Amino acid sequence: MIETILKKIVEYETIIIHRHERPDPDAIGSQVGLAELIKSTFENKKVFVVGEEEPSLNFLATMDEIEDTTYTGALVIVCDTANTERISDQRYDKGDFLIKIDHHPNEDPYGDIVWVNTEASSVCEMIVELYLEAKNYVLTDQSALLLYSGIVGDTGRFRYSNTTSKTHRYISELLQLNIDQTMFYSNLYKKDEKMTRLEGYILQHFEMDDRGLGIMNLTKDVLQKFKVTANESSQLVNSFSDVEGLKAWVFFVEDEDSGDIRVRLRSKGPHVHQIAQKYRGGGHPMASGAKAKDWNETKLIIKDLLEACKTK
């Protein structure tokens, strides 16, 4: 599969790389890390990264703005996105050839080539594997930092069970480059005053069921009070993750524009990805996202989560 993808990259002059909406470090890291690998290896190729900006991750990379005509005859690669609904910038299907690279369960096998490895800690880990197999690709300091960031993000700083011996081997490859780890961690985990105050609110107001389910509701009014966007609030999803007895937790966040309820699911045991799929989402067994139409539907999600907690 990697060999086939490498051949396709050689074949195309223009390459456009997408990832999922509301990106995390693995989405940005795999998208732009792959782009930097290609650009540093093939100087004459035109390589673009597209999608909405995420201000909290602009220290890693920013996006390109391209015309629709750029897609004509282009190779399109989508990183870290399980289903087409979540692809940021829906022009992904306007190119000549489409490749999906992902580590989520392959519920939506879109693309002409589908490379999915659910055993990988992150898509950044998969891109490192592609780099090593290519042998002739040039890994720059910037590429290494981007790929490092995604692995760190999706393994929870190597604390999650998806961290394997391969993960650490690949990290050692990246650390041979000049990665400023102090700068990276300072930027990734910094919180300004408004985020710190919102975290205090969360710690005071989250609910915990005796079956081990933690619940946090962030309405538009609360977000406006603390001057925090729905996107920014994602940084706080693990605020109470170390509470004793917690098996799983959910953040319901009201979108300030659409009015939809974003659902962020996390777990220490019960599988939550199937619940996410039931409510227009998906992800990993221990970390997933979904959407609720309204606050009434959140009650159904809580009911499903409580049932899952009973079995663990």
Side-chain angles (χ1 to χ4, degrees), residues 47-88:
V47 186
F48 303 99
V49 292
V50 297
E52 88 275 25
E53 297 285 357
E54 175 46 56
S56 67
L57 296 175
N58 279 350
F59 74 95
L60 289 174
T62 55
M63 298 294 104
D64 298 314
E65 294 185 11
I66 61 175
E67 301 293 333
D68 290 355
T69 53
T70 310
Y71 283 84
T72 303
L75 170 64
V76 178
I77 303 173
V78 181
C79 292
D80 195 35
T81 313
N83 50 62
T84 55
E85 183 183 352
R86 291 203 68 212
I87 299 174
S88 185

Side-chain angles (χ1 to χ4, degrees), residues 260-302:
D260 290 339
I261 313 297
R262 301 185 190 181
V263 184
R264 299 181 178 123
L265 301 164
R266 297 294 185 271
S267 175
K268 295 182 180 181
H271 288 185
V272 296
H273 65 296
Q274 292 174 335
I275 296 174
Q277 289 163 14
K278 185 176 175 181
Y279 297 96
R280 298 167 291 282
H284 304 286
M286 304 299 165
S288 293
K291 293 179 183 177
K293 290 179 290 188
D294 50 39
W295 288 106
N296 285 330
E297 192 169 36
T298 66
K299 297 174 184 176
L300 300 177
I301 297 173
I302 290 171

